[in-house]
Amino acid sequence: MKKFHNLIGFAILPLCFARAESVAQERLKISYSSVDAPNANWYIAEDRRFYQKYGLDVDLVFIPTSTTNVATLVAGSVKVGNISGGSIANAVVGGANLVAAGCFINTLPYELIVHESIRTAQQLKGKSVGISRIGSSSDVAARVLLKALGLEPDKDVAILQVGGSGERAAALASGKIVAFPSPPGTVHLTKGMASRTLITTADFPKRYPFPYVCPTTPKSYLSSNRDTVKRLLMALIEATYFFKTRKEESKKIFAKYSRQSNEAYLESAYQTIAKLFERVPLATREGMEVQINDALALMRKPGTAVKVEDIIDDRLVVELEKEGFIDRIYK
């Protein structure tokens, strides 16, 4: 009889541990701003259950554009969002208490797609370029790419708010705009349209420093929930490793969330972004400094005291590196 009870006890133990693991899952609502490849680690972590692996019951919501994500974070609807450095800087200069807890891509992986008739930079003068929203990463990219072509944004070329990559492609097809900035590979989705790539940030002699894929949260939340944010970073780091090392599986997940099956697009986007994802996701100070100065100039607050340290707090990433977590993931 005693042996029978022991067998029952051993049979029940796994159920108890499973129940304990279920109870231990902490609920957390987070958001990502795009289905493009640079944001893939956010939904790969969901698809591969990395959030659950690190004790998080995540409600991952898609909220288009960084600027809209900022408003959602400030309102408290989500606790952590995927925000670009330009949007963070604009928000903080505007009075929001947000901070980037890390950054998985620290440059602008963008191309300027133009109508086939546009062969030179000068042919863009007097015409319109489409972006998602003012202050978004696509807005920053448009301005950077136009300046690289020797053009003055807003003066030589109008910048119009159009929407995501799909909406921008449609606006190009309709003639509303003659160009739009977009992450790598999107030109493959414009088949049937008279379009081409005029310039890409990959053409630059040096990577343009820009904190692009940054887990961002209110300072008060980070202060009182450091362990939660740390576990979220662990899940995203493992998802990043998965993307960099499991190409075909990552492309399938990318195709699922982006709802695109164009192989040329998937391959081009994967090849570019896999190289740009950071192994240790620390945010570039140089890039954030540029965004702060741009935000101060845009909002006409040159006397406002905003420092890089006010916007970046990636000490948890430093902790994870010192503890050997990142080395274990990449072993």
Side-chain angles (χ1 to χ4, degrees):
M1 181 64 72
K2 184 176 180 181
K3 184 178 180 181
F4 177 71
H5 282 304
N6 286 341
L7 287 173
I8 293 177
F10 283 125
I12 291 174
L13 272 175
L15 295 176
C16 292
F17 284 132
R19 176 62 180 162
E21 183 182 353
S22 175
V23 172
Q25 297 286 306
E26 179 181 351
R27 292 189 63 81
L28 179 66
K29 190 171 186 178
I30 64 176
S31 64
Y32 65 108
S33 57
S34 170
V35 295
D36 292 318
N39 303 274
N41 57 341
W42 289 72
Y43 49 77
I44 283 176
E46 177 181 53
D47 196 88
R48 301 298 299 185
R49 298 182 63 81
F50 293 139
Y51 296 127
Q52 291 89 335
K53 177 178 178 178
Y54 295 103
L56 299 174
D57 178 11
V58 160
D59 179 10
L60 177 66
V61 294
F62 172 55
I63 303 175
T65 80
S66 281
T67 49
T68 311
N69 272 263
V70 163
T72 309
L73 272 177
V74 172
S77 301
V78 299
K79 299 303 181 186
V80 184
N82 176 19
I83 315 292
S84 70
S87 295
I88 300 169
N90 288 337
V92 173
V93 168
N97 287 310
L98 299 179
V99 65
C103 211
F104 286 89
I105 293 180
N106 277 297
T107 189
L108 273 173
Y110 269 81
E111 305 170 334
L112 187 66
I113 298 172
V114 299
H115 189 273
E116 183 63 35
S117 62
I118 304 296
R119 292 284 171 175
T120 67
Q122 291 304 306
Q123 289 177 310
L124 284 171
K125 278 193 171 183
K127 298 181 175 65
S128 300
V129 170
I131 63 167
S132 59
R133 291 182 63 141
I134 297 296
S136 67
S137 54
S138 64
D139 182 23
V140 175
R143 295 172 189 278
V144 167
L145 290 165
L146 288 172
K147 286 177 181 177
L149 291 169
L151 299 169
E152 189 62 36
D154 298 318
K155 181 181 177 183
D156 294 329
V157 183
I159 295 180
L160 302 181
Q161 295 185 120
V162 174
S165 293
E167 288 85 357
R168 280 174 259 165
L172 181 73
S174 70
K176 183 178 181 180
I177 58 175
V178 298
F180 67 93
S182 197
T186 303
V187 70
H188 296 293
L189 301 181
T190 61
K191 282 190 173 181
M193 299 182 200
S195 61
R196 56 192 292 271
T197 300
L198 184 63
I199 186 176
T200 84
T201 52
D203 295 332
F204 292 8
K206 179 185 174 184
R207 280 187 185 177
Y208 181 80
F210 181 76
Y212 183 42
V213 179
C214 308
T216 304
T217 186
K219 288 182 179 179
S220 57
Y221 185 81
L222 178 61
S223 177
S224 56
N225 296 272
R226 293 185 69 79
D227 181 64
T228 301
V229 177
K230 187 174 183 177
R231 285 184 282 132
L232 174 62
L233 289 169
M234 292 165 78
L236 291 171
I237 287 170
E238 184 157 357
T240 302
Y241 170 74
F242 184 94
F243 185 91
K244 290 167 76 72
T245 59
R246 308 273 282 274
K247 176 182 172 181
E248 294 307 321
E249 290 168 271
S250 295
K251 282 169 60 179
K252 285 180 182 177
I253 298 171
F254 173 33
K256 170 184 170 183
Y257 281 81
S258 65
R259 297 182 181 179
Q260 297 292 344
S261 58
N262 183 301
E263 177 59 26
Y265 165 66
L266 298 173
E267 180 67 19
S268 175
Y270 176 85
Q271 291 291 352
T272 300
I273 300 307
K275 297 173 186 174
L276 297 181
F277 265 134
E278 302 282 6
R279 182 177 186 272
V280 181
L282 297 168
T284 168
R285 269 65 180 166
E286 178 189 2
M288 194 64 87
E289 184 75 45
V290 171
Q291 296 312 306
I292 290 172
N293 291 335
D294 285 352
L296 291 172
L298 181 66
M299 299 184 182
R300 298 180 181 176
K301 294 185 176 182
T304 304
V306 177
K307 303 186 295 293
V308 169
E309 292 72 23
D310 297 326
I311 299 182
I312 298 174
D313 183 354
D314 48 14
R315 288 175 292 176
L316 289 174
V317 175
V318 175
E319 278 183 26
L320 288 169
E321 185 179 26
K322 286 182 177 178
E323 292 166 0
F325 171 79
I326 298 175
D327 285 341
R328 288 194 297 274
I329 292 296
Y330 279 81
K331 67 181 180 181

